[in-house]
Amino acid sequence: MLKLKKVKRVKGELRVPSDKSISHRAVILSSLAEGESYVREWLSSEDTEATLQIVLSLGVEAKREGRNLRISGKDFLFREPTHILDARNSGTTARLMMGVLATQGFFSVLTGDESLRQRPMLRVVEPLRQMGAFLDGRELANKLPICIRGGHLKGISFLNKKASAQVKSSLLLAGLRAEGFTEVMEPVLSRDHTERMLKAFGVELFQMETESGHMVKLRGGQRLEATEIYCPADPSSASFFAALAVLKEGSELYLKDLMVNPTRDGFFRKLKEMGAKVSYENLRELSGEPVADVHVVYGGRLRAVNVESHEVPSLIDELPILAVVMAMSEGTSKVRGAQELRVKESDRIKTVVENLRAMGVKVEEYEDGYQIEGVESLKGAFIKTYGDHRIAMAFSIAGLLAEGETVIDNPKCVAVSYPQFYRHLEEITK
Ligand code: S3P
């Protein structure tokens, strides 16, 4: 348990830990490549360590050099694991690794922690079966543990209705060893780190905007050439501090080396729409990703805003902290088309609504979102995180803004993506 009290303001400069999505992919693609890759500024957190442990169990060798990793890839010649592979709390690990394991003729079993074992997996199991892999598991293979025996895949054309980057990435990875072309279409472009990084590893991709959305396609049989990948700072981790700065009078913050890929920076764009002072400085490109130093200054009370379904993919992981910002803004805000929140590390619609209400905010819950009436000030409360790192961090920020004391029931869960979160918070609020 952690007790929090109101802070005066935030000031300073911060380089938050590296992006989680990119760090997972850097380990996975380096493992698939031929030769030695070098991953700079890799995020070490519970989720990404789960990915690293799994590739080590498949025969990959990795050496740590400070925050960097040297990885000897296997060019898809993995060895059969002798034990169950544990993705712990990480949906990205489970779903991307299923795509990799589907390319292998051997037997493997994937599991996860209590939360991950409740999350839906058919979204990847079904298309991987269509490609020719054998998968089975609990609840007709919708839930972990799931066993996989793959090999001899053929390319498919798949419509990714939920615009899930985990599903798209899983199929593209499997497609690298499939016969013919593998094609994924999505109504809205989901985070495209896999596509950008595959290009950095020398893979040829075809991408096209169509009337019905976005298409990506690759030819099977291509090899990945080892390379060097830089992991920029995580905009999802930075969003908590940016929220504190735009809500607390007298604040000013520089968030250094932040990845500002348009499929990920929806939260920062929303803040600007609400009237916040946010600017991107020193914009550059590193390992195929746009990176900037983001300057955030307090500029008065923010205005309510709506989030519509086509905007959801670019700020899906930031919706809990955006809900806190909405709760402290002038007017009524609404989020719709975000039913995916129900199957994240917790049911984030339920956990956001419950905790905001505990802090004295009027919230209406919908199946696919919520409506929030802004208040002048939040009331300190007992926060139930349900072991969800982003709920813990979002409501810690709320606690630092509230009147009275806030208690976080399980602050340790932040280690899933951001082990240094509370230390960094102390540094910028002292
Ligand atoms: C991720 C994709 C998103 C996101 C998750 C990370 C990724 O999930 O919410 O935190 O790294 O591909 P979905 O693919 O389920 O939308």
Side-chain angles (χ1 to χ4, degrees):
M1 288 220 280
L2 177 73
K3 290 182 182 169
L4 297 164
K5 281 218 177 90
K6 218 170 172 173
V7 287
K8 287 205 180 71
R9 51 155 205 197
V10 279
K11 241 188 168 57
E13 214 180 85
L14 197 60
R15 199 284 186 189
V16 301
S18 294
D19 189 70
K20 183 154 78 72
S21 291
I22 290 185
S23 296
H24 281 300
R25 285 159 173 81
V27 165
I28 296 172
L29 298 200
S30 299
S31 303
L32 300 177
E34 192 179 10
E36 192 180 271
S37 292
Y38 198 58
V39 182
R40 285 172 48 223
E41 292 297 328
W42 185 68
L43 165 73
S44 169
S45 72
E46 281 179 13
D47 270 16
T48 52
E49 291 288 347
T51 294
L52 183 59
Q53 277 310 311
I54 289 180
V55 301
L56 295 179
S57 306
L58 300 176
V60 171
E61 280 163 35
K63 218 171 100 202
R64 290 176 206 256
E65 291 177 4
R67 285 193 299 268
N68 306 332
L69 276 181
R70 208 174 272 289
I71 299 179
S72 299
K74 301 298 284 184
D75 193 19
F76 281 92
L77 299 171
F78 297 115
R79 68 160 189 242
E80 185 174 69
T82 51
H83 55 270
I84 294 173
L85 305 170
D86 190 356
R88 302 193 219 167
N89 193 243
S90 173
T92 305
T93 306
R95 296 187 180 123
L96 267 59
M97 286 313 297
M98 256 185 244
V100 171
L101 293 167
T103 67
Q104 304 292 306
F106 57 62
F107 176 80
S108 55
V109 184
L110 256 175
T111 193
D113 71 5
E114 208 183 323
S115 150
L116 190 59
R117 290 197 309 270
Q118 291 179 36
R119 294 177 64 187
M121 295 295 155
L122 263 189
R123 51 183 69 195
V124 276
V125 167
E126 274 175 347
L128 289 174
R129 279 176 172 165
Q130 269 177 45
M131 293 178 83
F134 170 84
L135 296 105
D136 204 357
R138 244 169 18 92
E139 295 187 21
L140 299 172
N142 190 28
K143 303 278 172 72
L144 297 176
I146 284 175
C147 65
I148 303 138
R149 191 182 288 277
H152 301 296
L153 304 181
K154 52 182 190 312
I156 58 166
S157 176
F158 182 75
L159 175 61
N160 187 22
K161 277 193 234 137
K162 295 192 172 89
S164 159
Q166 294 175 355
V167 173
K168 172 175 64 177
S169 303
S170 184
L171 302 185
L172 291 177
L173 297 180
L176 286 167
R177 276 293 165 279
E179 225 182 282
F181 285 89
T182 297
E183 182 180 280
V184 182
M185 267 114 30
E186 37 190 14
V188 185
L189 178 64
S190 64
R191 62 188 70 192
D192 61 355
H193 310 305
T194 302
E195 293 93 307
R196 288 171 187 258
M197 205 182 288
L198 278 172
K199 286 186 196 157
F201 277 88
V203 172
E204 208 185 17
L205 288 175
F206 306 94
Q207 283 162 289
M208 226 170 73
E209 290 304 330
T210 67
E211 267 179 24
S212 48
H214 187 86
M215 189 273 284
V216 55
K217 181 169 161 173
L218 60 76
R219 183 175 37 81
Q222 298 187 65
R223 296 174 102 162
L224 280 71
E225 294 156 28
T227 190
E228 184 175 311
I229 296 288
Y230 169 78
C231 305
D234 193 327
S236 303
S237 296
S239 66
F240 303 105
F241 303 115
L244 191 53
V246 297
L247 293 173
K248 195 77 210 177
E249 205 171 335
S251 297
E252 178 169 13
L253 207 53
Y254 273 100
L255 295 158
K256 308 284 281 186
D257 304 337
L258 211 59
M259 189 253 292
V260 290
N261 179 322
T263 63
R264 288 288 300 283
D265 75 340
F267 172 77
F268 290 94
R269 282 184 273 127
K270 257 312 147 198
L271 285 187
K272 282 194 216 171
E273 211 181 310
M274 299 175 90
K277 288 191 184 166
V278 176
S279 55
Y280 292 177
E281 296 173 9
N282 193 16
L283 198 62
R284 56 218 188 258
E285 192 172 298
L286 293 168
S287 298
E289 293 281 352
V291 175
D293 300 326
V294 178
H295 186 201
V296 187
V297 193
Y298 177 83
R301 189 146 190 235
L302 303 182
R303 300 182 292 272
V305 82
N306 292 335
V307 172
E308 287 164 31
S309 54
H310 70 274
E311 300 173 304
V312 168
S314 72
L315 45 66
I316 180 83
D317 295 337
E318 290 68 70
L319 285 170
I321 184 63
L322 185 61
V324 171
V325 179
M326 287 169 161
M328 296 205 67
S329 301
E330 174 100 54
T332 303
S333 296
K334 209 189 263 190
V335 174
R336 295 308 305 243
Q339 49 276 71
E340 274 298 284
L341 283 182
R342 297 228 178 249
V343 290
K344 292 294 176 190
E345 287 85 327
S346 68
D347 174 345
R348 286 185 180 159
I349 293 183
K350 180 174 159 269
T351 45
V352 160
V353 170
E354 180 180 342
N355 286 311
L356 279 183
R357 283 184 184 152
M359 299 191 96
V361 184
K362 266 178 100 178
V363 192
E364 195 179 331
E365 177 174 347
Y366 308 125
E367 189 42 41
D368 64 345
Y370 33 74
Q371 176 172 291
I372 298 172
E373 280 182 35
V375 291
E376 290 276 344
S377 71
L378 299 171
K379 283 195 306 209
F382 183 84
I383 300 300
K384 289 198 213 158
T385 61
Y386 296 90
D388 183 335
H389 56 134
R390 299 206 196 277
I391 296 295
M393 292 187 275
F395 283 90
S396 293
I397 299 299
L400 296 176
L401 295 160
E403 298 296 332
E405 190 178 83
T406 291
V407 179
I408 308 288
D409 69 351
N410 177 9
K412 286 207 178 104
C413 67
V414 303
V416 158
S417 60
Y418 198 163
Q420 314 82 335
F421 176 72
Y422 289 108
R423 184 162 59 77
H424 285 177
L425 204 48
E426 230 168 81
E427 280 171 21
I428 58 160
T429 52
K430 70 177 176 222

